[in-house]
Amino acid sequence: MSDNEDVPRVDPDDPPEIDPDDLEVGGLDELLPAPLLPVYRQFERVQDFRETHGPTYTSYLEAILAVALIGGYVYWLYLFLVAG
């Protein structure tokens, strides 16, 4: 017979099994030494802000960057055409 008879079959519609050890997993702060925790806290604050305001923050940042790039291009064009 076949060697695959002992292998349990997994139904893709079944929910994945949850390992109880995974429920109490902490963050990176458990591994970092105490002097680096303030830096990590700032990183966490930025990540929380990005999770909360991600799309709005990104669109405003893109708009500011676009204005800055357009301004730089217009300035370069002015220097090239008028001052050159």
Side-chain angles (χ1 to χ4, degrees):
M1 299 233 174
S2 141
D3 291 332
N4 293 334
E5 290 179 4
D6 295 336
V7 177
R9 296 182 186 235
V10 177
D11 187 13
D13 296 332
D14 288 344
E17 294 181 14
I18 298 175
D19 189 7
D21 294 336
D22 292 344
L23 298 175
E24 297 178 12
V25 174
L28 188 60
D29 56 342
E30 293 179 358
L31 300 174
L32 289 175
L36 293 178
L37 283 178
V39 175
Y40 180 66
R41 296 286 180 241
Q42 290 291 50
F43 178 75
E44 281 185 327
R45 288 182 59 207
V46 169
Q47 290 299 97
D48 289 341
F49 178 82
R50 289 180 67 194
E51 287 176 5
T52 305
H53 305 290
T56 306
Y57 169 74
T58 303
S59 55
Y60 279 119
L61 192 60
E62 286 175 350
I64 291 169
L65 181 61
V67 168
L69 288 174
I70 290 170
Y73 179 70
V74 168
Y75 179 67
W76 174 85
L77 191 61
Y78 168 75
L79 290 176
F80 182 74
L81 295 176
V82 175

